[in-house]
Amino acid sequence: MSLTRRSFIWHTGVAGAAALLLPTEIQALFAPAGVLPSSSPEAQGISAATILEFLQELENSKHEMHGFVLLRNGFNVASGWWAPYRKDLNHSMYSMSKSFTSTAIGFAIAEGYFKIDDPVISFFADKCPANPGEYLSSMTVKDLLTMSVGHETDTTWEMIRQEDWVQSFLSFPVKDKPGTTFLYNSGATYMQAAIVQKITGKTLLEFLEPRLFKPLGISGATWDSCPLGFNVGGWGLHLKTEDMAKFGQLYLQKGKWEGFRILPEGWAEEASSFKIQNGRPEDAASSDWAQGYCYQFWRSRHNSFRGDGAFGQYALVLPEQNTVLAIHSETPDMQDLLNIVWNKLLPGMKSGPLPQDTKSELALKKKLQSLSLQPPRLQATSSLHGSLDGRIYAIEPNDNGVSRIGFKQTGSQIEFYLQSQLGEFSCIAGWNAWRKGETRMPGTPPNLFPIPYDQLSLSKTMGSAGWKDDNTLMFRIQYFESAHHDLITFVFNQDGIKASFLNSIAAMGDPQSEKRAVLKGKVI
């Protein structure tokens, strides 16, 4: 319990507190630190019917929803997860990670580790080119924060191919004067992470733990690292949906939590205010990517701002509505997802409490409890259905070094396994029903940024399988601590097999992200 709440109870007593406060305020008063108090939507000025319409629109859209938390006036008015996703599991954040990285920069500056106008090369003199030139020499921490380092192209894809990412970043030509031109550049965020660790001796995760995560009650966070051991900064953070909501609420409250100041004075306002134009100003009426960029936050329409990650990871902060919306999802159209928020949710937010609507509240509660991703509905059987158990195929030479594919089948589930030079890997699925499993198969879970095999951990999965036709078996593997899934297709032809893989990133339009070979072979 914070000092603010403790003092209130001390002076009024428990009975006095109950007499002076509304029921939702009493709940907030006694809520454990780090726990978001709940309220009916109507008590906070938004109807349950509005939220139901919002959810219906999402489920009728092209967006695959994983989880959301809606906070109004500091209260959790609605939250839900589409099974097999759950509130207690981490989810990949992609570039939503950047907002946490800039928060670490804010702490480090306030604590005197360095200044926002310090030159980037001053931290890495041993890794700079022999003749850095005027523009590289003048690049500052602030330029990293505002994505205005002067590069002509994003450094990320070249940088991550190297052992030393810092040296790679500093080797890029700086075409424009830093601070003048916006270019989205995850390498610039990585450099922030590298600076924090170089100066403080702690990774971003270690540095933020006592300053941010512990005060907000965030536990179990993980962050991917580069080959030299720096957290990557621009992506790779894994948090729960509620953790994102807490983070957004902290910024909405201008850096205060439970009556205490968490963020340095003024940092929340400074980090979330317009710094440089991004996108085309003429698109500002319809695009949330043309409202301006901040310190690793984006300005949004309706005088809002957000942390933002690929495929629909959002912490959307609406100060005028005193609202935070956290979303985990996989979407091919991030703007359309925000449009649904603006068109369906925003108009229903009113300035004061609304009349109680018991019928809609019960319907919303039922809806939130029943959210789920349904497995594909395919044929439950075929002429081959009972013959796969124990069948093994020798696979032709291929780029992924897979030598065998085998199957194990029961009445309720099927498992396939691959044998390669790295070992044996399997995935399990129910017949037209999710079956829980885990895998460390190379290339899983799908990820925009390749993860070396030796850094892969076991991925939690839900798998469902069925027959597309008499000779085609399809597996849907959902990696429910990430944004993505896999579709694996086995085509059987007499004594032969062809296996193909399609991750959801490739399916949404990036075929280069699918690196797994089509496998062909013969039964043994």
Side-chain angles (χ1 to χ4, degrees):
M1 182 176 295
S2 74
L3 181 61
T4 301
R5 294 185 293 174
R6 189 183 296 122
S7 298
F8 187 84
I9 294 173
W10 176 265
H11 289 294
T12 63
V14 173
L20 291 172
L21 299 177
L22 297 171
T24 51
E25 293 173 323
I26 294 171
Q27 183 180 1
L29 188 67
F30 290 97
V35 174
L36 296 168
S38 299
S39 169
S40 70
E42 280 77 11
Q44 305 308 321
I46 183 170
S47 69
T50 292
I51 300 171
L52 277 167
E53 291 174 6
F54 170 65
L55 292 174
Q56 191 63 53
E57 185 75 9
L58 290 174
E59 294 194 330
N60 291 337
S61 73
K62 54 191 168 184
H63 313 297
E64 181 184 286
M65 299 302 298
H66 299 159
F68 84 102
V69 175
L70 177 62
L71 306 181
R72 190 99 203 273
N73 304 323
F75 291 91
N76 183 341
V77 297
S79 57
W81 288 263
W82 281 258
Y85 291 87
R86 304 199 313 257
K87 68 177 293 184
D88 61 319
L89 295 176
N90 282 347
H91 191 284
S92 52
M93 302 276 284
Y94 280 113
S95 287
M96 177 68 229
S97 310
K98 291 179 169 67
S99 301
F100 286 83
T101 301
S102 71
T103 301
I105 292 287
F107 282 119
I109 290 171
E111 294 172 28
Y113 282 104
F114 49 81
K115 297 181 176 64
I116 199 168
D117 293 321
D118 282 350
V120 174
I121 64 172
S122 68
F123 302 100
F124 304 105
D126 59 326
K127 298 181 184 293
C128 286
N131 298 299
E134 177 187 359
Y135 284 172
L136 178 58
S137 298
S138 65
M139 185 192 299
T140 66
V141 173
K142 184 175 182 179
D143 299 326
L144 299 176
L145 286 165
T146 58
M147 296 287 192
S148 59
V149 297
H151 291 152
E152 189 171 15
T153 58
D154 184 353
T155 59
T156 310
W157 304 103
E158 175 61 29
M159 185 183 73
I160 62 176
R161 296 169 55 194
Q162 312 302 320
E163 178 75 13
D164 190 328
W165 293 10
V166 170
Q167 191 170 58
S168 176
F169 178 90
L170 295 174
S171 70
F172 269 72
V174 183
K175 175 179 175 288
D176 299 313
K177 181 180 179 181
T180 62
T181 304
F182 174 85
L183 176 73
Y184 196 73
N185 189 340
S186 293
T189 317
Y190 168 76
M191 291 298 289
Q192 297 168 47
I195 288 170
V196 168
Q197 186 163 340
K198 176 75 178 293
I199 300 303
T200 70
K202 298 181 182 297
T203 65
L204 287 177
L205 206 58
E206 293 167 340
F207 188 70
L208 287 173
E209 173 62 27
R211 294 166 173 83
L212 180 69
F213 294 150
K214 189 173 182 179
L216 267 59
I218 295 173
S219 61
T222 63
W223 210 322
D224 299 342
S225 297
C226 76
L228 297 185
F230 299 138
N231 290 152
V232 296
W235 66 95
L237 179 60
H238 303 266
L239 289 176
K240 304 173 186 68
T241 321
E242 282 189 346
D243 298 336
M244 279 207 305
K246 292 176 184 178
F247 181 69
Q249 186 68 27
L250 177 67
Y251 270 84
L252 178 65
Q253 295 169 177
K254 300 181 179 180
K256 287 189 175 181
W257 189 263
E258 298 288 343
F260 289 96
R261 173 152 296 285
I262 302 299
L263 299 181
E265 183 77 41
W267 180 258
E269 300 93 314
E270 177 70 12
S272 61
S273 61
F274 181 100
K275 294 294 182 293
I276 191 168
Q277 182 62 48
N278 64 307
R280 303 188 309 168
E282 58 265 35
D283 294 334
S286 60
S287 174
D288 286 288
W289 279 264
Q291 307 299 315
Y293 197 71
C294 318
Y295 289 165
Q296 310 287 283
F297 287 89
W298 302 78
R299 295 297 303 177
S300 306
R301 288 177 292 169
H302 306 287
N303 196 30
S304 65
F305 64 93
R306 69 190 189 278
D308 176 313
F311 307 108
Q313 324 314 319
Y314 290 122
L316 182 61
V317 181
L318 295 82
E320 293 180 359
Q321 290 75 29
N322 203 22
T323 295
V324 171
L325 176 62
I327 291 175
H328 276 138
S329 67
E330 182 178 44
T331 173
D333 188 343
M334 294 176 67
Q335 181 62 73
D336 186 71
L337 181 52
L338 287 177
N339 289 345
I340 294 174
V341 175
W342 304 139
N343 296 334
K344 292 295 181 180
L345 204 55
L346 182 62
M349 296 180 187
K350 309 304 179 183
S351 58
L354 300 175
Q356 186 174 2
D357 182 353
T358 303
K359 182 178 179 181
S360 293
E361 287 182 20
L362 289 173
L364 176 60
K365 183 177 180 180
K366 183 178 179 180
K367 180 67 173 176
L368 293 173
Q369 291 173 342
S370 65
L371 295 174
S372 67
L373 293 178
Q374 294 300 316
R377 291 298 171 186
L378 301 168
Q379 295 173 205
T381 189
S382 83
S383 61
L384 295 174
H385 187 75
S387 64
L388 292 182
D389 186 43
R391 190 179 291 194
I392 301 173
Y393 292 86
I395 302 301
E396 298 172 4
N398 57 87
D399 291 342
N400 298 126
V402 177
S403 58
R404 289 191 177 191
I405 291 178
F407 295 91
K408 300 175 184 178
Q409 181 182 354
T410 68
S412 62
Q413 68 185 41
I414 183 168
E415 179 180 0
F416 80 87
Y417 59 90
L418 306 179
Q419 184 75 41
S420 78
Q421 73 271 23
L422 294 173
E424 184 174 293
F425 310 94
S426 65
C427 282
I428 193 168
W431 290 110
N432 281 330
W434 294 122
R435 183 75 68 210
K436 188 175 182 180
E438 58 185 17
T439 188
R440 194 170 177 246
M441 191 178 297
T444 62
N447 199 296
L448 271 178
F449 303 96
I451 301 174
Y453 172 73
D454 60 4
Q455 294 181 25
L456 282 176
S457 56
L458 282 170
S459 294
K460 296 183 178 71
T461 63
M462 285 287 184
S464 177
W467 294 93
K468 182 180 178 182
D469 56 44
D470 207 43
N471 297 310
T472 306
L473 177 64
M474 303 189 75
F475 274 70
R476 163 81 176 238
I477 305 296
Q478 193 80 34
Y479 302 95
F480 59 92
E481 288 188 312
S482 87
H484 305 301
H485 62 265
D486 256 324
L487 190 62
I488 305 164
T489 304
F490 300 99
V491 178
F492 301 94
N493 183 12
Q494 295 180 349
D495 63 346
I497 191 173
K498 182 174 78 171
S500 57
F501 302 82
L502 182 65
N503 69 59
S504 55
I505 300 174
M508 287 188 293
D510 183 13
Q512 297 303 314
S513 66
E514 182 54 80
K515 304 296 185 184
R516 290 166 293 182
V518 175
L519 306 176
K520 298 178 182 179
K522 297 288 185 180
V523 70
I524 299 175

